[in-house]
Amino acid sequence: RQKSLTVAAKQGGRVALFNATDLEGQYVTKGQLLGYVSTFSEPVIRVVVPENDTDIVRRETRAIDIRFVSNPNETLQAEILREVPALDSVLPSLAQATEGGGSIVLDPSDPNGQRAFGRFLHLDLALSVPHSFETIGDRAMVRFSHAPMSLAKRVYRRARQVFLRQFDI
């Protein structure tokens, strides 16, 4: 019975526990997240894109630049690893909300406190070249670069977005 209470990881790597000093002598339930086991290489960066900008990000992104807050002087290139096919208003992390230092306003009527007012495209980004990291959950600044566009095309695109939003299309 004592052997079944042992916690084991399915992969090798370094252990990063949440509040390791608080875990001693505490009861934990099966499936409770205690920390991470990671090789600390090839990070996955989760990004949310507002509904208004999903079309241009999906179709016209030429390059993606990332700067981690822990090292803002280093710019890294990234590419889209995967995309959630539907828009969602639930944020993957509260770090993206105003409560966590981000810019997305949460819906105060949500009992879980993770639902935003707008809908967002969820993207996972991977760095183009291998890069090691030291922390899990570091904040990143992401810049999507697009092809140059004339002022007339920009005005048309924004007017189209307003029209679609007004008629709930």
Side-chain angles (χ1 to χ4, degrees):
R1 188 170 153 207
Q2 208 171 24
K3 190 176 182 178
S4 69
L5 298 176
T6 303
V7 176
K10 294 181 180 179
Q11 67 178 24
R14 292 188 339 212
V15 177
L17 294 174
F18 304 131
N19 302 325
T21 55
D22 294 344
L23 285 176
E24 188 175 331
Q26 293 295 318
Y27 175 78
V28 293
T29 59
K30 186 175 184 177
Q32 180 180 343
L33 187 61
L34 303 175
Y36 295 101
V37 175
S38 176
T39 58
F40 289 91
S41 63
E42 300 179 20
V44 174
I45 298 97
R46 175 130 323 142
V47 178
V48 291
V49 177
E51 182 177 14
N52 289 345
D53 299 324
T54 57
D55 191 44
I56 192 167
V57 168
R58 281 180 172 157
R59 295 179 187 207
E60 299 187 29
T61 298
R62 302 286 169 116
I64 303 171
D65 297 328
I66 294 181
R67 290 183 186 210
F68 289 101
V69 172
S70 60
N71 188 6
N73 297 326
E74 182 179 21
T75 302
L76 304 167
Q77 299 295 312
E79 52 197 32
I80 297 174
L81 183 63
R82 60 187 153 263
E83 169 187 329
V84 176
L87 298 177
D88 194 5
S89 60
V90 176
L91 297 178
S93 170
L94 289 179
Q96 297 162 331
T98 52
E99 285 80 354
S103 60
I104 300 172
V105 179
L106 293 178
D107 183 359
S109 65
D110 179 33
N112 297 331
Q114 285 193 311
R115 186 168 301 278
F117 278 116
R119 296 186 321 172
F120 299 90
L121 172 68
H122 294 244
L123 299 173
D124 285 343
L125 306 178
L127 298 177
S128 299
V129 293
H131 188 273
S132 63
F133 59 100
E134 294 299 318
T135 59
I136 293 176
D138 195 4
R139 187 179 300 271
M141 297 173 281
V142 179
R143 179 180 179 204
F144 293 92
S145 298
H146 310 292
M149 187 180 295
S150 69
L151 183 60
K153 282 187 179 181
R154 288 183 188 189
V155 169
Y156 169 75
R157 187 179 77 230
R158 287 296 174 192
R160 182 175 176 263
Q161 289 173 345
V162 169
F163 176 78
L164 292 174
R165 186 174 45 242
Q166 279 301 116
F167 294 104
D168 228 2
I169 298 175

